[in-house]
């Protein structure tokens, strides 16, 4: 029974690792430049020369797909690292201090939670201007509150445990108490939420790029590739459908990893 539960996250994790390895190898062996424009070769259907066809500027779609993977996958990872750190610290302080400080910090969390992530990210990106770095900042600002809430909830529950009182009586207070007792108990939940959120953040940042607010041309990012192909959907659907399929595959894999980790716990 334990082996089955372990495989629930190991198999999608292995698939994800193999895909990432294939992307790295493809970046090394591809003979094409992802940014080289060849109008004479535009809108070519998938063939032995161009496995995923070419786009409206004659650029190889497969090459742009593999070169766009770091932008599409690494930036959401950075968003979640930033969100998890900020949210965890916020939630730990709120649950540990309590009282009026907790009430004030909870009010801040409620304010952020009242606005949908996509709407808040669009508003912040609109203020900062389009671009991948601004999208990263906007998404981080809209996402941290989820980690703050779950860490605060766990922290409040742990504070009532007898061993916490024993730790305080033994002289553990402040940062020492948080680091030794509160933080270790929140790590499993934060880890699970991290992988579950990875797919959602990929979708959010790709959506912003598709709307023209994220990665800007000619950057090879999967959301911006879909944006480039939307005008040619009827005559060259592969320009849009292939990056969309890649996003879907990775979103599903990260979701399965997160669900598998939940089952293991």
């Amino acid at each position: 029974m334990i082996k089955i539960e372990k495989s629930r996250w190991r198999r999608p994790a292995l698939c994800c690792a193999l895909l990432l390895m294939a992307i790295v190898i493809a970046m090394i062996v591809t003979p094409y430049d992802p940014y080289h424009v060849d109008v004479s070769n535009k809108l070519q259907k998938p063939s032995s020369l161009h496995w995923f066809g070419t786009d409206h500027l004659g650029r190889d779609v497969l090459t742009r797909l593999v070169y766009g993977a770091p932008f599409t996958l690494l930036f959401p990872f950075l968003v979640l690292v930033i969100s998890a750190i900020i949210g965890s610290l916020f939630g730990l302080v709120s649950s540990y201090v309590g009282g009026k400080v907790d009430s004030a910090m909870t009010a801040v969390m409620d304010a952020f939670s009242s606005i949908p992530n996509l709407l808040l990210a669009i508003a912040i990106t609109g203020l900062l201007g389009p671009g991948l770095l601004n999208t990263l900042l906007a998404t981080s600002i809209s996402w941290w509150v989820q980690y703050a809430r779950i860490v605060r909830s766990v922290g409040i529950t742990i504070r009532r445990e007898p061993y916490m009182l024993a730790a305080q009586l033994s002289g553990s207070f402040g940062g020492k108490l948080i680091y030794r007792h509160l933080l270790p108990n929140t790590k499993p939940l934060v880890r699970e939420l991290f992988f579950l959120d990875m797919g959602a953040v990929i979708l959010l940042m790709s959506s912003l790029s598709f709307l023209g607010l994220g990665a800007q041309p000619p950057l090879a990012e999967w959301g911006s590739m879909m944006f480039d192909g939307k005008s040619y959907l009827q005559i060259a659907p592969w320009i849009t459908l292939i990056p969309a399929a890649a996003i879907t595959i990775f979103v599903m894999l990260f979701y399965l990893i997160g669900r598998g980790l939940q089952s293991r716990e």
Side-chain angles (χ1 to χ4, degrees):
M1 185 65 180
I2 296 177
K3 291 183 178 180
I4 295 175
E5 289 183 351
K6 285 185 177 180
S7 67
R8 292 187 64 180
W9 70 270
R10 286 185 174 179
R11 289 175 183 174
L14 178 61
C15 292
C16 188
L18 291 175
L19 284 174
L20 292 175
M21 188 181 301
I23 288 171
V24 172
I25 294 173
M27 292 176 68
I28 297 172
V29 302
T30 180
Y32 302 106
D33 184 340
Y35 302 108
H36 176 67
V37 175
D38 183 8
V39 181
S40 63
N41 205 30
K42 67 179 182 180
L43 302 179
Q44 294 290 318
K45 294 181 179 180
S47 63
S48 57
L49 290 178
H50 302 281
W51 290 3
F52 290 170
T54 62
D55 64 7
H56 62 296
L57 295 177
R59 298 171 298 190
D60 184 69
V61 173
L62 176 58
T63 302
R64 288 181 60 78
L65 190 75
V66 297
Y67 272 88
F71 300 112
T72 306
L73 302 177
L74 181 59
F75 275 73
F77 178 82
L78 294 176
V79 165
L80 289 176
V81 169
I82 296 170
S83 300
I85 293 173
I86 295 175
S88 297
L89 290 174
F90 200 90
L92 286 170
V93 172
S94 179
S95 63
Y96 176 76
V97 177
K100 293 183 179 180
V101 174
D102 180 41
S103 299
M105 297 178 82
T106 301
V108 173
M109 288 187 278
D110 290 339
F112 275 89
S113 298
S114 64
I115 308 174
N117 290 329
L118 179 59
L119 183 60
L120 182 58
I122 290 175
I124 296 172
T125 307
L127 291 173
L128 298 176
L132 201 54
L133 290 176
N134 289 342
T135 304
L136 183 150
L137 180 60
T139 309
S140 300
I141 293 173
S142 68
W143 213 270
W144 68 271
V145 69
Q146 301 180 79
Y147 293 88
R149 282 193 173 280
I150 192 169
V151 170
R152 174 186 175 273
S153 177
V154 174
I156 290 175
T157 302
I158 294 172
R159 276 176 54 194
R160 304 191 183 102
E161 296 294 330
Y163 70 85
M164 287 294 290
L165 178 59
Q168 290 176 340
L169 292 174
S170 66
S172 293
F173 295 99
K176 184 177 180 182
L177 185 67
I178 291 174
Y179 180 76
R180 287 189 175 182
H181 299 284
L182 288 178
L183 186 59
N185 284 282
T186 61
K187 281 183 178 179
L189 291 174
V190 170
R191 182 182 63 239
E192 294 163 9
L193 186 61
F194 187 96
F195 283 102
L196 288 171
D197 281 351
M198 185 69 180
V201 176
I202 289 173
L203 284 175
L204 176 57
M205 296 192 71
S206 297
S207 299
L208 291 173
S209 295
F210 182 76
L211 294 172
L213 297 173
Q216 299 298 298
L219 195 65
E221 193 269 345
W222 295 351
S224 65
M225 289 176 65
M226 294 172 60
F227 177 80
D228 290 340
K230 68 178 184 178
S231 301
Y232 305 91
L233 192 58
Q234 292 185 342
I235 60 175
W238 55 86
I239 303 176
T240 300
L241 296 181
I242 288 175
I247 291 172
T248 303
I249 290 170
F250 275 99
V251 168
M252 291 178 62
L253 287 175
F254 284 118
Y255 174 78
L256 291 173
I257 293 171
R259 292 291 294 178
L261 289 172
Q262 281 185 331
S263 300
R264 189 186 67 170
E265 297 296 331

